[in-house]
Amino acid sequence: MLPQFTESRIIYCGELIQALEDCHKQGFMKRAFGTCNNQKAELSRCLHAERVSRERENMKKSLEKRKKVTQRWKEMEEEEFGPGGYLREVAQKKE
């Protein structure tokens, strides 16, 4: 298998990778005339779809993490200044 595709994260395109490698083993002349182009195009589409899927999943995780951090900041502010930032308003009025 191609070294750049041996990672465990690429799981859906394994059959297409193997098909492309099998095509490449047929010999130089067949490859030179483009007999492997269909397999390569299918593999490219599969890898692109897998990358996009991974990006969406990472984006969802990032947004969830950001919501938790924002919620924690809000809780810390309420602990320090009271609900709604009441103590902050009082301190600003005294200045």
Side-chain angles (χ1 to χ4, degrees):
M1 191 170 272
L2 297 169
Q4 63 266 35
F5 298 126
T6 56
E7 298 180 23
S8 61
R9 65 187 173 124
I10 299 185
I11 53 177
Y12 299 111
C13 303
E15 293 176 8
L16 295 172
I17 293 169
Q18 190 60 44
L20 181 61
E21 286 188 353
D22 291 343
C23 184
H24 282 176
K25 289 178 185 176
Q26 290 179 359
F28 173 74
M29 290 307 292
K30 289 186 178 184
R31 284 189 316 211
F33 291 110
T35 58
C36 300
N37 289 351
N38 292 337
Q39 289 90 344
K40 185 174 181 181
E42 288 179 37
L43 177 60
S44 294
R45 282 192 292 271
C46 180
L47 291 173
H48 175 73
E50 191 169 337
R51 180 182 55 82
V52 168
S53 172
R54 230 180 11 256
E55 286 177 356
R56 285 184 183 145
E57 184 178 322
N58 289 340
M59 182 68 74
K60 287 179 185 178
K61 288 179 184 178
S62 176
L63 290 173
E64 289 173 10
K65 185 177 179 180
R66 184 67 181 161
K67 285 180 185 178
K68 288 179 184 179
V69 168
T70 303
Q71 181 63 30
R72 181 61 185 137
W73 284 347
K74 185 177 179 181
E75 290 171 3
M76 289 172 50
E77 188 172 309
E78 286 183 359
E79 288 174 4
E80 187 174 348
F81 298 112
Y86 174 74
L87 294 176
R88 178 182 292 155
E89 292 174 14
V90 171
Q92 288 176 350
K93 288 181 182 178
K94 286 185 178 182
E95 294 176 354

